[in-house]
Each structure stands twice: as C-alpha cells, then as structure tokens.
Amino acid sequence: MQVGMFQTPFVRPERTPRQVFEWALRQAVHADKIGFSEYWVGEHGTLNWEGIPSPELVIAAAALQTSQIKFGPLAHLLPYHHPATLAIQTAWLSQILEGRYMLGVATGAYPTDAAVRGIKDMSGNHAMMLEAIDIMERVWKGEPFEFEGQFWNAGFPQANPNKPLRDVRPWGGTMQMAMTGLSAPSPSIGFAGTHGFLPASVYAGNPFLRSHFETYRDTMTAAGRESDRSAHRVVRDVIVADTDEEARKLATEGGIGLAWKEYIKPTYERFGVLKGLLHDPSVDPADVDADYLAEHVWIVGSVETVRQKMEAWFGELGGPFGTLLVYSHDYIDNPEPWERSMELLVKEVAPKLSDAKQTVAA
C-alpha cells in the first residue's frame, strides 16, 4: 500500500495565510523526504478551517524542493474556473513537475464557495463540471477548435507558421485526472470509472467505501476497462507513535482532536455523513468525542497496533486498496511528533502490511 497526504488543510482559523502556506510547504517537503507517494492540496475560497484557495501555489513552491512525490489539487472546483484558463495553468504545472502532477477535479460542495462566484443554485454544478472537462481536454490537444457551450465559450487558435504557439499539452501528452466522491452511491466515482480517472474516497464508514468500490468496478467494467483497487485513494485519519498512549494523546489532545471538535464533526453532521462513522446505530452523535473517534473512527496506536487495525480494516472491506491518504492537521506549534507519525506510518507500518495483491475487484 502506498501512503500519501491530503493537505485540505485542517488548520485553525486564527492562523495567518503565511502560516498556512508555510505549513503546507513544510509538510510537502517532509512527505517527499520520507517516502510518501502523493501530496494532494484542497481548494476552498471561504472556509475558515480549510484555508488554501490556490493549491497550485503550494504545488509550485514545492516543485523545486522535492524530487519524487507526485502533486495534485484535490480538487480544483471546476464550476469556479474558466476551463480554458485552468487547462493552460495545469498543463504548465505538469510540464514543470515533469510527470509528477495529477489533476483532481470536483463540483464544489460548499454553498459559500459558490456564493462568492454568484452561484445561488448549485444544482447545475455537475453539468458545469462536465462541460469544463470537455473544454480542458480539447485545449490539451493543442489543435484548433471553437466551442460555444451552455456555460463557457472557448477555443484554440490556428497556428501561424511565422508565430508558433507554445506547447499547451500536459507532460507526456495526457493528463492523469482524479475525482472525489462525497456521497453513496456516488455519481462522481461513477464518472471517474467511466472515464478512467483515479477515484478518491473520504472515509465515512465501511459501507460507504464498499459502495464506492462497487460503483468504480461496475463503471470501469462497463467502459471496457480493467478494474482493480490499486487506483483507489482513501482518505482517513491515522496517527502512529512509539506507544498506544503517546499516539492517543497526540490525536485527542492535538490538531486532529481540535479539528474534529470544532469543524469536521459539525460539517459531517450537516452533510449527513456522521452516522456512517458510528460503530453502533444506537450511539448518540452527541457522545461522539475525541475518545470515541480515537477508538472507532481514526486509526491510532503504536506501529504494531496500527498495523493490526489496518489489516482488520482491509478484511472488513474485502481486501486492500491502492493508496492511503492521511489528512494533514494543525501541529504547527510542535511539528516533530506529527512528522514522526508520518514517518512511522510510511516506513514501519506500510511495509509490514500483508503483501496482498492489489487486484481485488474494485
């Protein structure tokens, strides 16, 4: 199993933009150094706990300070960008990173991010995303076209032999794309399967994940593509330390505990996701505190404890998946224990997991 990071980021609202930026960059460099395979950066314009409106700036800053890790926004919210402009920008980043770039796309889930762009009815966001993808893929070909759509107009000019146009194709000629899923069943995961995109699922309980695996498998198969779970990314909170006690304290008394108390739990309740995380339907959501989360939702413990919990989780899911993406949290004031958790996860836990073939039907 590969290990990556999802830098949403969950950083306290009182942090300054510079602190958020510096933390994201530090995490990227550290993740590359210790062997993380991927580093995804969220995009939100108005959310006070997820304070990166321009993931491409973090990725660009990290590009020349890293050598192995792959980067991508997770995700650019396509209804809020002119797709031709975004196509040019993302292709340039893929060229800069020389193959270490992937493009995550999404419709946008938060009304405040939509309202800033003057969108009051988000029911059209999915159609906007589809039209945006169509335009972007046309631009990346670098061939002349004209397009008048429902939401945008775009095109690519005919080249003048005396004034050659810049190459706007992504590195290698194609763009590896990814799509997140926030519901079950998920039309976004289905779209990812139909078009061969990477699927990324935020953990909201095992039934939720199994639904995503099945949707991806079915749509990949229907599209005539070979399907396995090696493509699947799953986002979940994981904390590792030398002892179970140290790990539990780092989680419940640190950035993860605070983010869940102040922001993530209320958000999950609002979106109807929290109930999927309860190990027993009789549990009162009001009783879901940091101790409950450390026991039943997060994966917390020593190297051996986390290994056992991961193995048990794979068993409940019917097999492993490709890449675990851990959320980044606010450990800015004392980063070393958090960074050690990252290192233990990728160097000590992941190599000890069962050498199961990543060909389980998605």
Side-chain angles (χ1 to χ4, degrees):
M1 185 188 69
Q2 299 295 310
V3 178
M5 173 167 278
F6 184 16
Q7 179 70 254
T8 302
F10 291 127
V11 176
R12 300 202 312 257
E14 61 266 29
R15 300 296 189 187
T16 67
R18 186 180 180 104
Q19 286 178 307
V20 174
F21 185 84
E22 289 178 341
W23 176 243
L25 182 56
R26 173 175 175 146
Q27 291 279 276
V29 173
H30 182 67
D32 178 67
K33 178 182 177 182
I34 63 176
F36 273 38
S37 61
E38 300 172 0
Y39 188 89
W40 299 88
V41 186
E43 173 190 297
H44 297 288
T46 61
L47 306 184
N48 61 1
W49 272 87
E50 301 181 64
I52 297 179
S54 303
E56 65 273 20
L57 298 185
V58 175
I59 294 170
L64 300 184
Q65 298 187 47
T66 56
S67 60
Q68 301 296 326
I69 197 167
K70 291 185 176 181
F71 291 97
L74 198 64
H76 275 315
L77 309 179
L78 296 191
Y80 311 148
H81 299 271
H82 192 290
T85 300
L86 192 62
I88 297 293
Q89 292 174 343
T90 55
W92 193 47
L93 262 182
S94 79
Q95 294 164 355
I96 292 169
L97 283 155
E98 298 181 334
R100 292 193 293 127
Y101 182 84
M102 303 171 289
L103 173 59
V105 298
T107 61
Y110 292 91
T112 53
D113 279 352
V116 168
R117 281 82 174 192
I119 298 175
K120 298 179 180 179
D121 180 5
M122 297 176 65
S123 64
N125 278 28
H126 186 73
M128 295 179 75
M129 180 183 71
L130 299 185
E131 184 173 297
I133 291 172
D134 183 27
I135 292 172
M136 294 173 75
E137 290 179 334
R138 293 180 187 222
V139 171
W140 288 330
K141 292 180 179 179
E143 300 172 353
F145 77 93
E146 292 184 3
F147 179 87
E148 292 186 6
Q150 181 180 356
F151 306 105
W152 294 284
N153 296 335
F156 198 82
Q158 181 72 47
N160 182 337
N162 297 320
K163 285 189 175 182
L165 299 175
R166 189 176 66 80
D167 187 354
V168 299
R169 294 171 297 176
W171 179 264
T174 60
M175 180 71 76
Q176 176 66 73
M177 297 181 71
M179 189 166 285
T180 58
L182 298 174
S183 62
S186 171
S188 294
I189 295 297
F191 185 90
T194 299
H195 292 79
F197 293 2
L198 301 175
S201 303
V202 175
Y203 179 73
N206 291 337
F208 180 94
L209 280 184
R210 285 194 291 267
S211 170
H212 282 199
F213 292 156
E214 292 165 3
T215 296
Y216 192 68
R217 176 198 63 204
D218 293 345
T219 53
M220 284 283 282
T221 301
R225 294 186 173 89
E226 183 178 352
S227 173
D228 64 69
R229 288 189 189 168
S230 64
H232 219 108
R233 275 70 175 158
V234 176
V235 186
R236 191 172 185 181
D237 282 311
V238 182
I239 282 281
V240 194
D242 292 327
T243 67
D244 291 347
E245 293 74 18
E246 288 177 288
R248 194 177 187 94
K249 182 176 181 180
L250 183 62
T252 59
E253 299 180 15
I256 289 181
L258 183 63
W260 274 83
K261 177 183 178 182
E262 299 292 334
Y263 182 69
I264 302 174
K265 181 188 172 184
T267 300
Y268 277 18
E269 287 180 305
R270 189 164 66 250
F271 281 96
V273 174
L274 185 65
K275 61 183 179 181
L277 297 174
L278 305 181
H279 80 292
D280 184 334
S282 66
V283 173
D284 186 343
D287 295 332
V288 176
D289 57 11
D291 287 325
Y292 180 92
L293 293 165
E295 186 68 28
H296 299 289
V297 178
W298 313 330
I299 297 180
V300 177
S302 66
V303 168
E304 179 57 21
T305 296
V306 170
R307 186 196 67 78
Q308 292 178 11
K309 289 182 177 181
M310 293 288 294
E311 295 277 14
W313 184 30
F314 291 164
E316 294 164 357
L317 292 175
F321 51 87
T323 304
L324 170 69
L325 300 178
V326 294
Y327 278 124
S328 175
H329 287 277
D330 190 338
Y331 287 90
I332 293 174
D333 296 330
N334 185 24
E336 286 77 15
W338 167 252
E339 291 174 347
R340 176 165 171 75
S341 172
M342 293 170 58
E343 189 166 3
L344 288 173
L345 176 59
V346 72
K347 290 186 175 181
E348 300 294 333
V349 175
K352 294 179 180 178
L353 295 172
S354 296
D355 187 21
K357 296 293 183 181
Q358 300 293 311
T359 55
V360 180

PDB file of all heavy atoms in Angstrom, residues 239-251:
ATOM      1  N   ILE A 239      -2.810   8.117  13.114  1.00  0.00           N
ATOM      2  CA  ILE A 239      -1.755   8.639  13.984  1.00  0.00           C
ATOM      3  C   ILE A 239      -0.953   7.459  14.529  1.00  0.00           C
ATOM      4  O   ILE A 239      -1.514   6.500  15.060  1.00  0.00           O
ATOM      5  CB  ILE A 239      -2.344   9.439  15.165  1.00  0.00           C
ATOM      6  CG1 ILE A 239      -2.774  10.823  14.718  1.00  0.00           C
ATOM      7  CG2 ILE A 239      -1.331   9.579  16.292  1.00  0.00           C
ATOM      8  CD1 ILE A 239      -1.643  11.816  14.576  1.00  0.00           C
ATOM      9  N   VAL A 240       0.376   7.545  14.417  1.00  0.00           N
ATOM     10  CA  VAL A 240       1.266   6.496  14.900  1.00  0.00           C
ATOM     11  C   VAL A 240       2.306   7.108  15.836  1.00  0.00           C
ATOM     12  O   VAL A 240       2.816   8.204  15.575  1.00  0.00           O
ATOM     13  CB  VAL A 240       1.990   5.779  13.736  1.00  0.00           C
ATOM     14  CG1 VAL A 240       2.639   4.485  14.224  1.00  0.00           C
ATOM     15  CG2 VAL A 240       1.047   5.511  12.576  1.00  0.00           C
ATOM     16  N   ALA A 241       2.617   6.409  16.913  1.00  0.00           N
ATOM     17  CA  ALA A 241       3.671   6.844  17.843  1.00  0.00           C
ATOM     18  C   ALA A 241       4.358   5.597  18.383  1.00  0.00           C
ATOM     19  O   ALA A 241       4.017   4.463  18.037  1.00  0.00           O
ATOM     20  CB  ALA A 241       3.095   7.698  18.960  1.00  0.00           C
ATOM     21  N   ASP A 242       5.322   5.795  19.269  1.00  0.00           N
ATOM     22  CA  ASP A 242       6.058   4.657  19.821  1.00  0.00           C
ATOM     23  C   ASP A 242       5.174   3.774  20.694  1.00  0.00           C
ATOM     24  O   ASP A 242       5.394   2.559  20.779  1.00  0.00           O
ATOM     25  CB  ASP A 242       7.262   5.157  20.626  1.00  0.00           C
ATOM     26  CG  ASP A 242       8.319   5.800  19.740  1.00  0.00           C
ATOM     27  OD1 ASP A 242       8.474   5.353  18.592  1.00  0.00           O
ATOM     28  OD2 ASP A 242       8.985   6.741  20.195  1.00  0.00           O
ATOM     29  N   THR A 243       4.189   4.371  21.366  1.00  0.00           N
ATOM     30  CA  THR A 243       3.271   3.603  22.209  1.00  0.00           C
ATOM     31  C   THR A 243       1.834   4.000  21.894  1.00  0.00           C
ATOM     32  O   THR A 243       1.576   5.076  21.341  1.00  0.00           O
ATOM     33  CB  THR A 243       3.526   3.847  23.700  1.00  0.00           C
ATOM     34  OG1 THR A 243       3.184   5.211  24.020  1.00  0.00           O
ATOM     35  CG2 THR A 243       4.991   3.597  24.058  1.00  0.00           C
ATOM     36  N   ASP A 244       0.897   3.127  22.277  1.00  0.00           N
ATOM     37  CA  ASP A 244      -0.515   3.442  22.090  1.00  0.00           C
ATOM     38  C   ASP A 244      -0.894   4.702  22.845  1.00  0.00           C
ATOM     39  O   ASP A 244      -1.670   5.532  22.352  1.00  0.00           O
ATOM     40  CB  ASP A 244      -1.388   2.281  22.583  1.00  0.00           C
ATOM     41  CG  ASP A 244      -1.275   1.044  21.703  1.00  0.00           C
ATOM     42  OD1 ASP A 244      -0.716   1.157  20.589  1.00  0.00           O
ATOM     43  OD2 ASP A 244      -1.738  -0.028  22.126  1.00  0.00           O
ATOM     44  N   GLU A 245      -0.355   4.854  24.037  1.00  0.00           N
ATOM     45  CA  GLU A 245      -0.699   6.007  24.872  1.00  0.00           C
ATOM     46  C   GLU A 245      -0.231   7.312  24.233  1.00  0.00           C
ATOM     47  O   GLU A 245      -0.962   8.312  24.219  1.00  0.00           O
ATOM     48  CB  GLU A 245      -0.083   5.854  26.279  1.00  0.00           C
ATOM     49  CG  GLU A 245      -0.657   4.725  27.110  1.00  0.00           C
ATOM     50  CD  GLU A 245      -0.197   3.334  26.649  1.00  0.00           C
ATOM     51  OE1 GLU A 245       0.841   3.251  25.912  1.00  0.00           O
ATOM     52  OE2 GLU A 245      -0.860   2.345  27.008  1.00  0.00           O
ATOM     53  N   GLU A 246       0.990   7.303  23.712  1.00  0.00           N
ATOM     54  CA  GLU A 246       1.508   8.508  23.057  1.00  0.00           C
ATOM     55  C   GLU A 246       0.677   8.867  21.828  1.00  0.00           C
ATOM     56  O   GLU A 246       0.381  10.043  21.586  1.00  0.00           O
ATOM     57  CB  GLU A 246       2.962   8.293  22.649  1.00  0.00           C
ATOM     58  CG  GLU A 246       3.956   8.270  23.783  1.00  0.00           C
ATOM     59  CD  GLU A 246       5.362   7.981  23.289  1.00  0.00           C
ATOM     60  OE1 GLU A 246       5.645   6.822  22.895  1.00  0.00           O
ATOM     61  OE2 GLU A 246       6.182   8.923  23.258  1.00  0.00           O
ATOM     62  N   ALA A 247       0.312   7.873  21.052  1.00  0.00           N
ATOM     63  CA  ALA A 247      -0.469   8.126  19.842  1.00  0.00           C
ATOM     64  C   ALA A 247      -1.840   8.678  20.187  1.00  0.00           C
ATOM     65  O   ALA A 247      -2.325   9.620  19.544  1.00  0.00           O
ATOM     66  CB  ALA A 247      -0.603   6.831  19.037  1.00  0.00           C
ATOM     67  N   ARG A 248      -2.480   8.091  21.201  1.00  0.00           N
ATOM     68  CA  ARG A 248      -3.813   8.548  21.589  1.00  0.00           C
ATOM     69  C   ARG A 248      -3.761   9.992  22.084  1.00  0.00           C
ATOM     70  O   ARG A 248      -4.625  10.811  21.755  1.00  0.00           O
ATOM     71  CB  ARG A 248      -4.392   7.636  22.665  1.00  0.00           C
ATOM     72  CG  ARG A 248      -5.892   7.820  22.887  1.00  0.00           C
ATOM     73  CD  ARG A 248      -6.404   6.835  23.926  1.00  0.00           C
ATOM     74  NE  ARG A 248      -7.849   6.885  24.019  1.00  0.00           N
ATOM     75  CZ  ARG A 248      -8.671   6.085  23.350  1.00  0.00           C
ATOM     76  NH1 ARG A 248      -8.180   5.181  22.524  1.00  0.00           N
ATOM     77  NH2 ARG A 248      -9.976   6.200  23.495  1.00  0.00           N
ATOM     78  N   LYS A 249      -2.731  10.331  22.854  1.00  0.00           N
ATOM     79  CA  LYS A 249      -2.601  11.705  23.347  1.00  0.00           C
ATOM     80  C   LYS A 249      -2.355  12.672  22.200  1.00  0.00           C
ATOM     81  O   LYS A 249      -2.940  13.760  22.153  1.00  0.00           O
ATOM     82  CB  LYS A 249      -1.457  11.788  24.363  1.00  0.00           C
ATOM     83  CG  LYS A 249      -1.283  13.178  24.964  1.00  0.00           C
ATOM     84  CD  LYS A 249      -0.195  13.184  26.033  1.00  0.00           C
ATOM     85  CE  LYS A 249      -0.046  14.586  26.646  1.00  0.00           C
ATOM     86  NZ  LYS A 249       1.011  14.625  27.679  1.00  0.00           N
ATOM     87  N   LEU A 250      -1.498  12.287  21.256  1.00  0.00           N
ATOM     88  CA  LEU A 250      -1.197  13.149  20.116  1.00  0.00           C
ATOM     89  C   LEU A 250      -2.448  13.416  19.291  1.00  0.00           C
ATOM     90  O   LEU A 250      -2.626  14.512  18.753  1.00  0.00           O
ATOM     91  CB  LEU A 250      -0.129  12.487  19.242  1.00  0.00           C
ATOM     92  CG  LEU A 250       0.368  13.276  18.028  1.00  0.00           C
ATOM     93  CD1 LEU A 250       1.025  14.578  18.447  1.00  0.00           C
ATOM     94  CD2 LEU A 250       1.347  12.427  17.210  1.00  0.00           C
ATOM     95  N   ALA A 251      -3.332  12.422  19.228  1.00  0.00           N
ATOM     96  CA  ALA A 251      -4.557  12.582  18.458  1.00  0.00           C
ATOM     97  C   ALA A 251      -5.609  13.370  19.228  1.00  0.00           C
ATOM     98  O   ALA A 251      -6.118  14.390  18.754  1.00  0.00           O
ATOM     99  CB  ALA A 251      -5.107  11.210  18.068  1.00  0.00           C
TER     100      ALA A 251
END
